[in-house]
Amino acid sequence: MTSERESFDLSGPLHLTNVLWDNSNHRKAVAASLVQGVYILERDRQEKREGSKALAPPWWTFFQFKLLRPLVDDVDSSLFGAIYEFRPSNSQQNDTIYKSPRYVIAFRGTLNKSHSVSRDIELDIHLIKQGLHQTSRSEIAIQAVRNMVETVGDSNVWLAGHSLGSAMAMLTGKTMAKNGIFIESFLFNPPFVSAPIERIKDERVKHGIRFAGSVITAGLAFALQAKQSKDLAVDPFAALAAWVPCLFVNPCDHICSEYIGYFEHRRKMNDIGAGVIEKLATQNSLGGLLMSAFGKESEPLHLIPSASLTVNVTPSRDFKEAHGIHQWWKADLRLEHKLYNYT
């Protein structure tokens, strides 16, 4: 059965008839719509909607994009991503066209439908266990991005994703950044694998918990590094600092809201003279350290030194709305924005 939320004409950003590519809200709305296009591509496949019955195409054609090819999961054959090419008509070009992407690679999140949910949940579990980088879907995603960058250059490519797809884009972006390739990225409701401390209302209690966690994490990291004879002068964030992904989070979404506290806590620790502790703590996770102690490899995706963080403080009716992709192309949002860069 077709959902109203799948139809671009019923729920898409129809107000965005003239995209100004130097407008951050327009860029956000286009990137979110292209991610939604991946969701609907998979729904079209599941419901066998083809030709004029397909609902996905308007999500990209409205903005003058063409679908080059979908990205297919090798386990269940579901469509988890898409590569789009921007092909504006002469009438759609304006003075800001130089800031548009030539290609966008977008990834969807978990779909709660029988055709794909088991594979998506399997990947969600890998994400929680900090092992998403060891999955075949991530290998397909990284190779697709690497091939595109080698062909057209990193400045011509955008990454975009939502929820699990945001984690996939984060992993891909970090992998490329470690090799000196910095891709503009739009990550909607990116998962932060941690206890939802940000939901605690008492600021003193919240800061106390974060402070204790930082001390424990930094101490364990120092001990493990010393035991493993690692060079403590080597900063694993050095290669990532120049990559500044755009993160879009909602404080009512416990899956991603911890990013708010993650960056603000480091600022507070610097202010009280505990920046050295926090610098080490923000580069490690307790889960990852424990896995390392037992000789297991992990990749905590949520640990990044830099971000352009946009918080949607518009009241949400429920968690579903707070975590949904639809919020990010609405025209009447109350947004707060901060730029963080910790090296």
Side-chain angles (χ1 to χ4, degrees):
M1 180 178 293
T2 301
S3 166
E4 177 180 309
R5 297 170 70 82
E6 295 180 2
S7 169
F8 184 86
D9 290 337
L10 297 177
S11 63
L14 296 172
H15 63 280
L16 208 56
T17 55
N18 182 32
V19 176
L20 301 178
W21 292 100
D22 60 353
N23 183 307
S24 60
N25 288 324
H26 287 196
R27 292 154 69 90
K28 165 178 61 64
V30 172
S33 296
L34 295 178
V35 173
Q36 176 69 350
V38 184
Y39 277 107
I40 311 308
L41 262 177
E42 172 57 14
R43 290 293 295 132
D44 281 347
R45 185 190 74 88
Q46 293 176 0
E47 297 297 323
K48 296 180 173 58
R49 298 186 301 230
E50 299 177 349
S52 61
K53 294 182 179 180
L55 297 178
W59 288 99
W60 58 81
T61 58
F62 186 84
F63 302 107
Q64 307 288 304
F65 281 86
K66 175 187 177 182
L67 176 66
L68 282 187
R69 68 179 179 93
L71 299 178
V72 183
D73 189 282
D74 64 334
V75 174
D76 66 353
S77 299
S78 64
L79 309 182
F80 71 90
I83 302 176
Y84 301 103
E85 181 181 9
F86 184 45
R87 291 190 175 181
S89 62
N90 291 332
S91 62
Q92 291 292 322
Q93 297 192 23
N94 55 49
D95 293 340
T96 69
I97 197 74
Y98 70 98
K99 286 205 168 185
S100 66
R102 282 183 59 193
Y103 299 90
V104 177
I105 303 176
F107 306 99
R108 66 165 175 85
T110 302
L111 262 175
N112 296 319
K113 303 296 180 182
S114 59
H115 301 77
S116 57
V117 67
S118 60
R119 173 61 169 163
D120 287 348
I121 290 178
E122 176 189 344
L123 290 161
D124 289 331
I125 294 172
H126 279 291
L127 171 62
I128 294 170
K129 295 168 63 177
Q130 302 182 5
L132 188 63
H133 64 295
Q134 297 172 326
T135 65
S136 58
R137 182 181 288 190
S138 71
E139 292 174 1
I140 295 170
I142 292 171
Q143 191 58 51
V145 174
R146 184 176 287 123
N147 290 343
M148 182 58 67
V149 168
E150 289 176 354
T151 303
V152 304
D154 57 319
S155 63
N156 293 308
V157 178
W158 282 7
L159 290 177
H162 173 251
S163 194
L164 173 61
S166 187
M168 194 67 68
M170 177 76 82
L171 172 60
T172 304
K174 288 181 72 172
T175 301
M176 302 302 288
K178 290 175 182 178
N179 292 291
I181 299 170
F182 309 111
I183 304 176
E184 189 156 2
S185 303
F186 299 79
L187 311 181
F188 301 99
N189 302 83
F192 193 105
V193 182
S194 170
I197 302 172
E198 189 61 27
R199 304 194 71 181
I200 298 173
K201 302 301 182 184
D202 190 310
E203 290 296 326
R204 290 178 299 178
V205 172
K206 184 159 56 177
H207 179 67
I209 293 174
R210 291 194 194 283
F211 183 86
S214 294
V215 172
I216 294 171
T217 302
L220 184 57
F222 186 86
L224 285 174
Q225 287 178 345
K227 183 178 180 181
Q228 296 170 2
S229 301
K230 290 185 178 180
D231 184 358
L232 299 180
V234 175
D235 185 351
F237 273 14
L240 296 177
W243 182 53
V244 187
C246 298
L247 273 54
F248 301 91
V249 307
N250 189 309
C252 296
D253 175 12
H254 62 267
I255 291 177
C256 68
S257 63
E258 195 58 26
Y259 271 108
I260 301 170
Y262 171 76
F263 286 110
E264 275 300 292
H265 181 61
R266 181 156 186 181
R267 181 187 63 78
K268 291 178 180 178
M269 292 288 277
N270 285 340
D271 290 345
I272 66 174
V276 175
I277 293 175
E278 190 59 21
K279 182 177 182 179
L280 189 55
T282 53
Q283 296 175 16
N284 297 275
S285 70
L286 280 175
L289 290 170
L290 291 173
M291 291 178 69
S292 177
F294 288 99
K296 295 183 178 180
E297 181 188 357
S298 68
E299 175 63 52
L301 296 180
H302 58 280
L303 303 181
I304 52 175
S306 307
S308 173
L309 183 67
T310 298
V311 182
N312 180 13
V313 295
T314 311
S316 299
R317 290 171 295 183
D318 50 32
F319 167 75
K320 184 177 181 180
E321 182 176 71
H323 188 65
I325 186 69
H326 287 70
Q327 65 185 298
W328 297 113
W329 57 70
K330 293 182 179 178
D332 56 350
L333 296 179
R334 289 170 47 204
L335 302 174
E336 295 179 354
H337 174 76
K338 288 187 179 180
L339 180 65
Y340 297 97
N341 189 280
Y342 297 113
T343 56

